[in-house]
Amino acid sequence: MKKTLKSRLVAGTALASLLALSACGSDTSASADATADASEPTTVTVEHTQGTTEVPVNPETVYTFDLGALDTLDALDIEVDGVPAANFPESLSKYGSDDYAKIGSMKEPDFEAISAGAPDLIIMSGRTADSYEEFSKIAPTINLSTDAQDPWNSFVSNTEIIGEIFGKEAEVEDKLAALDTKVDETKAAAADAGNGLIIMTSGGEMTAYGEGSRFGLIHDVLGVATAADIKSEAQHGESVSFEYIAEINPDNLFVIDRDVAVGNAGEVASAVLDNELVMGTKAAKNDRITMLDSSSWYLVGYGLNNVDAMVSAVQDGIS
Amino acid sequence: MTAVLSPTAPAPAGAAGVSGVSGRRRFLGPGAKLLLGGTSVLVLAVVSMFVGVSDVSLPGLLSGDEHAWDIFWISRVPRTLSIILAGMALSVAGLIMQLMARNKFVEPSTVGTVESASLGILVVTVFLPGASLFLKMSTATVFAMAGTALFLLVLRRIPLRNTLIVPLVGIMLGGVIAAVTTFFAYRFDLLQTLNSWMVGDFSGVLRGRYELLWIVGALTLIGYLAADRFTVAGMGQEFTTNLGLNYNRVMTLGLIIVSLISAVVVVSVGSVPFLGLIVPNLVSLMIGDNVRRAIPWVAIFGAGFVLACDIIGRTIRYPYEIPVGVIVSAIGSALFLYLLLRKRSARA
């Protein structure tokens, strides 16, 4: 009895919001017709990692599971309605409030909440890749993952897709051009900065990352030479000992602290690394150990504002 | 029930084998055999000290290479020592646990002790992120004791102490505690941190970071000295009281030793599963159920087993490492299955 009532309620809400949406939709298209020429398309065809999707132009209700995409949307002043419940970094902290629908965790979607909210577009990435089919039944869904093998181009094309959907092509173009300049500057600085090693600490243990990894931006895009040839295709780098760091003896050490989620920013990782072996490396002696912001690198990744922040962090670190 | 596993079992089919074992036992005196075992561990320890990313070789050390000596003292010796201490202590803790629960298929990581210890660390990490190592360890110990006591309490209420029911109850209880821990870790975004505690790993061990493990060395010694008491306490409360021992005191001592060992090891290197289960069982297969005589063997076997596993973990993906917990689990689960199946065929 209870169940039927609830499902009826859900159906009712869904129907109501659908009606409201279709009303909105016809409204916007009507005004668009009035202001722009009639030939302007109402949908965009987006090719993405998991297929091709027909996406409405300027969708009303937007849900995103990818914090990188959220960052890009935020940078372009596009309104987002639903986000996962996550540990948002400072720059995106407003999305933690109740004003934004919570549509599950970063890895596990709450399908009931999503379908009740009746979004017009769902943006997701690798973390929720398994749910693509389910999402597609609810709303047009696009997977904007970043390709670890070619991060920069896939970031650029993902950003352009968002620009196209929301009619912000010119703004995207400008911002990407500015980023390009910044990347070139950093590359020039990296050429004289010597090699670098990327380490993530967690619970007192360390993993090392190289080219083509989730933190590969440093090597692949910004051109910091690799101190060690780490070829790990896995998302999680290679488990290493302090002796390994001492032996590699990098000019620059980039550190990501996975434990930072608890709050103690930087302190934990620096305590882990504060030992005779690490302190003996060239990076330590020349004060070239860079503590990277873990939520920026680990959670958000490739977003329009965040890439800018990540590039700045590396630039500061090597200069 | 436990007798089935021991070579002195009155199984008719095993009779010939038993006499064979005891015949061989007389070939070398127990003292000489123990010495042999100790020497093998020593050899493994030396190997362990010369396996690593940096170039540390015996000629290098002898010629006074300063860098090699630095690495030797900062990294190699502490790592080898911590492996030996943790391996010995976890195996002996498993044996004590088995005596206390009167069952051969329990050990701290299958009855909720280790799970409770990690719940303790999680609680400290969430509420007092900057807590000192000592505070973390104390909280983990208190939680581990509570979890183990709960298990022993539940065990007392079970009327039929079937060999398989006891570990099953332990695994279920451990599962419930682990579920609670996982839930909170999930809520506080600490799942992966929790994971790194649950997989034992010696790669972070350096001078100044393992000294806590000397505590478990001392506890192992206490366990050895009190071994006979645990054997008696394992026979039950009435039996123990009849022999003039304070049952509750003995059980509390065992509880403290097992919990403290588990907590210290989890805090300093992470959990190393199955160790406390396999080693005592293999030893009892070899030399029988005399606990006092078995403990040195359990310690030697435990240390040797973990040393071997860590050397494997350090070499197969050189210069990277595979955590020792993964290697021990892989080999350990295979041995565990062997022990279980062997037992069934012996009964049939």
Side-chain angles (χ1 to χ4, degrees), chain B residues 63-75:
Chain B
S63 70
D65 178 352
E66 216 162 281
H67 176 70
W69 275 109
D70 270 355
I71 298 283
F72 191 71
W73 288 120
I74 296 172
S75 162

Side-chain angles (χ1 to χ4, degrees), chain A residues 238-239 243 247 276 298, chain B residues 75-76 192 207 317 321:
Chain A
E238 296 281 6
S239 188
E243 247 180 63
E247 194 61 26
E276 295 157 280
Y298 191 68
Chain B
S75 162
R76 299 291 167 83
Q192 280 171 316
R207 182 164 73 197
R317 286 212 15 95
E321 304 206 359

Side-chain angles (χ1 to χ4, degrees), chain A residues 97-114:
Chain A
S97 81
D98 290 339
D99 299 344
Y100 300 88
K102 293 293 171 291
I103 53 178
S105 79
M106 286 184 76
K107 279 190 143 165
E108 282 162 67
D110 178 351
F111 288 106
E112 214 160 310
I114 300 167

Side-chain angles (χ1 to χ4, degrees), chain A residues 193-225:
Chain A
N195 59 31
L197 181 66
I198 310 167
I199 290 284
M200 182 159 86
T201 65
S202 175
E205 283 136 26
M206 298 147 300
T207 36
Y209 292 79
E211 284 177 299
S213 71
R214 64 195 301 170
F215 309 124
L217 174 86
I218 294 173
H219 299 309
D220 305 330
V221 178
L222 302 177
V224 174

Side-chain angles (χ1 to χ4, degrees), chain B residues 269-345:
Chain B
V269 293
S271 112
V272 185
F274 291 117
L275 196 63
L277 197 131
I278 303 154
V279 175
N281 273 302
L282 288 177
V283 169
S284 116
L285 280 178
M286 273 175 36
I287 69 159
D289 273 343
N290 182 332
V291 175
R292 175 67 76 125
R293 217 175 66 214
I295 282 197
W297 277 106
V298 169
I300 284 178
F301 249 56
F305 186 55
V306 182
L307 270 172
C309 286
D310 192 60
I311 293 172
I312 294 172
R314 270 186 280 173
T315 26
I316 47 181
R317 286 212 15 95
Y318 186 86
Y320 315 117
E321 304 206 359
I322 294 175
V324 74
V326 175
I327 310 271
V328 173
S329 298
I331 301 177
S333 51
L335 282 172
F336 183 39
L337 279 178
Y338 166 76
L339 286 174
L340 276 177
L341 295 176
R342 201 197 85 90
K343 189 168 157 44
R344 184 165 296 172
S345 63

Side-chain angles (χ1 to χ4, degrees), chain A residues 86-87 105 107-108 202-206 208 214 228-232 236 238-244 246-247 258-259 261-264 267-268 271-277 298-299, chain B residues 51-56 67 70-71 74-76 79 125-126 129-130 186 188-190 192-193 196-197 199-207 209 268-270 317 319-323:
Chain A
N87 218 319
S105 79
K107 279 190 143 165
E108 282 162 67
S202 175
E205 283 136 26
M206 298 147 300
R214 64 195 301 170
D229 195 18
I230 302 162
K231 286 216 169 52
S232 175
H236 307 284
E238 296 281 6
S239 188
V240 297
S241 58
F242 293 109
E243 247 180 63
Y244 178 84
E247 194 61 26
R258 189 161 69 178
D259 295 334
V262 208
N264 254 2
E267 240 174 68
V268 183
V272 170
L273 295 176
D274 184 16
N275 62 63
E276 295 157 280
L277 293 184
Y298 191 68
L299 290 178
Chain B
V51 173
V53 181
S54 297
D55 189 25
V56 176
H67 176 70
D70 270 355
I71 298 283
I74 296 172
S75 162
R76 299 291 167 83
R79 182 166 186 157
T125 309
V126 169
Y186 173 77
F188 289 100
D189 259 332
L190 285 170
Q192 280 171 316
T193 311
S196 72
W197 294 329
V199 180
D201 190 349
F202 290 98
S203 67
V205 172
L206 284 180
R207 182 164 73 197
R209 291 212 176 143
S268 30
V269 293
R317 286 212 15 95
Y320 315 117
E321 304 206 359
I322 294 175

Side-chain angles (χ1 to χ4, degrees), chain A residues 253-256 266 269-270 273 289-293 313:
Chain A
L253 191 59
F254 300 96
V255 182
I256 292 141
S270 50
L273 295 176
I289 298 183
T290 310
M291 296 287 173
L292 299 172
D293 184 278

